Amino acid sequence: MSALDRWLRDGWLRPIDHAFGASLQRLTPGTPDAVALAAALASRALAFGHSRVPLDRVADLFAEILPDRVPSLPERSEWDARLRESPYVSQHGERGRPLVFAAGAIALRRYHDYEARLAAALRALGGAVDPPPDAAWLRERIAALFPSTAKIADTQAIAAALAQIVRVMLLTGGPGTGKTTTVARILVLAVEAAARRGETPRVALAAPTGKAAARLAEALRESYEQLLLDGRIDAALREALPSTASTLHRLLGGRPDSVRARHDATNPLAADLVVVDEASMVDLPLMCKLASALKPSARLILLGDRDQLPSVETGDVLAALCDAAGDGKAWSDRIAGQLAAALGDEVATRGDEGVLTRVELDRSHRQSAALDVSAMSQSIRDGDAASVVANLEANAYRGVSWHAGRDAALALFVLEHALAHYRAIAQASDVAGALSMLRRHRVLTAVREGEAGSRALNARIALALQKAGAREDAFFHGRLVMIRENSYRHGLYNGDVGLVWIGEDGSARVWFDTDSGPRAWLPAALPAHESAFVLTVHKSQGSEFDDVLLVLPEKSVRVASRELLYTGITRARRALTIWANANVLSEAIARRAQRWSGLADKLRT
């Protein structure tokens, strides 16, 4: 039995991984096992979001598959030698080879090329805005838009000025640090600067999901109205500001039957400025397609929180871009000089210029009097499990309650905690009022399957809300429904959450809150969907709720990481309840959701 066959038998590989490695040996008899195994590993790694596998980290990959066991591996120097001499492996950019071996890591050609194309596209986009804004005008407008800043060199003001100077910018920070508020002012400046040149800029606002796009548009509209109310912009400028957003798939002209989009390098987007929110959710192929579809003169702003969960699919693009861009708290001498002229104050400098420019916002402007998770989230990011557990035991986190128990007791706890919230939604006087209540409460889980998973808990809640004998997937009054796939025909997208409402005539409709207000669909017309009383933390990204119940299973699971915990707890605005035993919580805080990637290295070289 070959090593490849043994790895399949013992559970290290999926059939598709084995088939890929075996195909190389079938097409070229005599292909060494070392090459076939490397090919299978590169395929296997995709299931965990890695775009490449460092050969000195293979044991770590196996630990993700089956902990406490490691199969026999080729001797490292022999493995390297066999890969270097294989006609299936590229080392120096040779085309037509399915594998790439570089920097001690093996990757599928397709994903290596995604990284290379994305790095090249960002390099081509990088540079200064042309023509640059008038420094005196920019300084005056920055001061007007940020009047409460005693010293102008506040990070929000720096970001607003920087976005008028560089063509690619990362704007990062945790919840409540003012990313969307800052972007509203960036757009004010961009539209005003273009108007001074007699131009009208074409601005595209986008996010990975329909839900995140709707939240971006809503938050920007609220910011614009506040700026208008405060007299910082006039009514004519307010009308000129962009206030609608779409999914990235829709922006690029995604096709349900093809991996290719309508917009690419040969047919670029018309937009002069593209703003993407929730960039941590964007996977490697999609980010590559976006960067490649921008015209040479376009500007790009990516918003996100690098400490959140990475995308469900391959890559952790935002984290790699942040690694290449630096900490976002100092800038090159050239850029710092321009910022000083625009801000009237000195900013921190660093020696290197780099391809990317980043600003990290680190001061929360949305601290609830009832809830303080900032210290907890910092300890989670630092991997300090002992501090988190000790503070939970001491009730030291304001607005946070902690409960531990077995999975068998979880369903009853969830019902006691959640049913009142969901019954209140169903009892609302009208559908508009009910939709406005959807952000008040949500149950979040680490996993989809099992007693502590979203599927089982959704079923228990659905049955508890209905008449006896009803099916849990029935379209009953007050059922929350989440769309699971993009449907361009319906205008519904993966992650959109709607509400089943039974009218006076007894007919059921599923209502969604859209840019143009509440809109109804017939249940039979919906694309793939499921109940949404309980969401996985992954599915909750881009959302916030007043009251969150975060659930972890009683046994440790690989997907429970510090990034998952950080993402879950920061969905809460006013109250947070955690159901988890101390050991599982500690193990999750110790576990990183790291992705192996060569993107940051490609941007540095």
Side-chain angles (χ1 to χ4, degrees):
M1 179 181 291
S2 70
L4 196 66
D5 292 339
R6 285 196 301 273
W7 282 16
L8 176 65
R9 180 200 64 190
D10 294 341
W12 302 110
L13 302 177
R14 302 169 299 176
I16 192 172
D17 311 320
H18 175 271
F20 178 47
S23 69
L24 304 186
Q25 293 183 313
R26 184 177 63 255
L27 292 169
T28 305
T31 295
D33 278 352
V35 174
L37 292 173
L41 283 173
S43 173
R44 186 70 179 95
L46 296 180
F48 297 95
H50 305 302
S51 57
R52 67 176 185 174
V53 181
L55 294 188
D56 60 2
R57 301 290 299 277
V58 170
D60 294 336
L61 177 62
F62 288 136
E64 293 190 76
I65 302 169
L66 295 171
D68 305 322
R69 293 173 53 199
V70 177
S72 177
L73 298 172
E75 195 274 324
R76 178 58 193 276
S77 61
E78 177 73 9
W79 205 351
D80 287 6
R82 298 291 79 79
L83 289 172
R84 290 192 183 101
E85 66 191 22
S86 173
Y88 288 120
V89 180
S90 166
Q91 295 182 79
H92 307 292
E94 300 93 338
R95 308 303 301 174
R97 301 187 181 191
L99 299 169
V100 176
F101 183 51
I106 192 73
L108 297 182
R109 159 68 69 179
R110 179 182 179 187
Y111 289 90
H112 173 274
D113 286 357
Y114 276 135
E115 290 184 346
R117 287 168 49 203
L118 175 55
L122 291 174
R123 284 183 182 280
L125 286 170
V129 171
D130 185 27
D134 178 75
W137 169 82
L138 184 56
R139 182 171 177 173
E140 177 185 343
R141 291 302 291 141
I142 289 286
L145 290 169
F146 296 89
S148 62
T149 306
K151 276 286 193 177
I152 290 296
D154 170 84
T155 50
Q156 289 191 2
I158 289 172
L162 193 58
Q164 315 309 315
I165 295 170
V166 301
R167 288 172 49 211
V168 179
M169 188 179 83
L170 310 179
L171 181 57
T172 57
T177 53
K179 295 187 294 296
T180 309
T181 300
T182 304
V183 165
R185 288 156 173 78
I186 287 172
L187 294 174
V188 167
L189 293 170
V191 170
E192 284 186 326
R196 286 167 58 85
R197 301 190 301 270
E199 301 172 1
T200 301
R202 290 163 291 192
V203 179
L205 307 175
T209 67
K211 175 176 56 180
R215 285 196 67 247
L216 171 63
E218 179 185 13
L220 286 174
R221 288 193 292 267
E222 290 174 355
S223 291
Y224 298 155
E225 293 306 317
Q226 189 62 52
L227 289 171
L228 181 62
L229 184 64
D230 293 343
R232 302 184 203 179
I233 61 174
D234 59 29
L237 178 56
R238 167 64 188 90
E239 289 302 312
L241 292 169
S243 56
T244 59
S246 73
T247 65
L248 280 170
H249 286 90
R250 186 175 184 183
L251 175 67
L252 294 172
R255 301 167 180 168
D257 56 347
S258 174
V259 297
R260 296 182 178 276
R262 183 163 58 90
H263 292 289
D264 56 18
T266 61
N267 180 31
L269 291 163
D272 302 301
L273 171 60
V274 176
V275 177
V276 179
D277 197 11
E278 298 293 348
S280 64
M281 299 168 63
V282 183
D283 60 48
L284 174 61
L286 185 56
M287 190 66 83
C288 178
K289 291 172 185 177
L290 170 65
S292 301
L294 298 179
K295 63 185 182 180
S297 60
R299 294 154 63 186
L300 174 66
I301 299 174
L302 300 177
L303 314 179
D305 183 349
R306 73 154 296 161
D307 294 311
Q308 283 193 34
L309 279 167
S311 62
V312 175
E313 303 299 333
T314 303
D316 190 357
V317 177
L318 181 62
L321 298 183
C322 289
D323 288 342
D327 64 6
K329 298 178 180 180
W331 299 272
S332 70
D333 291 340
R334 179 185 65 82
I335 290 174
Q338 292 177 280
L339 285 174
L343 299 167
D345 193 14
E346 297 300 315
V347 299
T349 61
R350 68 178 196 185
D352 60 315
E353 179 97 7
V355 177
L356 301 174
T357 305
R358 174 188 178 196
V359 178
E360 171 75 6
L361 305 179
D362 55 9
R363 183 162 60 91
S364 178
H365 300 269
R366 198 175 59 212
Q367 182 64 64
S368 167
L371 177 67
D372 180 9
V373 296
S374 57
M376 184 181 180
S377 62
Q378 184 60 54
S379 294
I380 289 173
R381 289 197 300 266
D382 293 341
D384 188 355
S387 174
V388 172
V389 172
N391 282 305
L392 286 173
E393 289 175 338
N395 293 317
Y397 297 126
R398 186 173 68 248
V400 180
S401 61
W402 180 37
H403 302 264
R406 302 182 65 83
D407 285 351
L410 174 60
L412 180 59
F413 181 83
V414 169
L415 292 176
E416 291 174 346
H417 190 86
L419 286 184
H421 294 277
Y422 296 134
R423 283 176 175 146
I425 292 172
Q427 293 166 4
S429 59
D430 55 49
V431 69
L435 286 171
S436 70
M437 297 168 67
L438 295 189
R439 294 186 191 170
R440 292 187 180 178
H441 171 81
R442 201 61 49 92
V443 181
L444 305 181
T445 68
V447 295
R448 180 171 168 79
E449 306 297 336
E451 288 184 279
S454 59
R455 289 187 64 177
L457 293 174
N458 264 316
R460 291 294 297 269
I461 292 173
L463 292 174
L465 291 173
Q466 299 181 79
K467 296 178 180 178
R471 289 170 28 201
E472 62 94 4
D473 61 347
F475 285 94
F476 60 90
H477 185 78
R479 180 187 175 197
L480 273 61
V481 173
M482 183 179 66
I483 301 301
R484 295 192 59 197
E485 63 182 26
N486 294 329
S487 175
Y488 300 95
R489 181 168 63 91
H490 294 89
L492 293 172
Y493 302 95
N494 185 13
D496 287 353
V497 174
L499 176 68
V500 177
W501 199 260
I502 308 297
E504 293 182 0
D505 61 356
S507 62
R509 296 290 187 274
V510 186
W511 289 82
F512 292 83
D513 211 350
T514 70
D515 283 345
S516 56
R519 183 181 170 192
W521 277 260
L522 289 169
L526 292 183
H529 57 274
E530 63 186 8
S531 290
F533 303 107
V534 181
L535 301 177
T536 63
V537 175
H538 265 107
K539 287 294 187 181
S540 75
Q541 286 183 268
S543 297
E544 291 179 328
F545 308 97
D546 291 345
D547 183 343
V548 166
L549 167 57
L550 175 63
V551 171
L552 298 185
E554 67 176 277
K555 293 183 179 179
S556 186
V557 289
R558 180 186 61 81
V559 296
S561 63
R562 69 180 65 168
E563 289 83 2
L564 181 137
L565 289 176
Y566 171 83
T567 303
I569 69 170
T570 54
R571 299 310 90 199
R573 285 189 296 236
R574 297 180 183 173
L576 170 67
T577 303
I578 298 174
W579 173 282
N581 66 58
N583 287 339
V584 169
L585 195 60
S586 296
E587 290 175 16
I589 293 171
R591 186 181 295 115
R592 297 294 306 274
Q594 289 181 312
R595 301 281 177 86
W596 296 325
S597 161
L599 178 58
D601 290 340
K602 291 179 176 66
L603 284 165
R604 292 191 188 104
T605 57

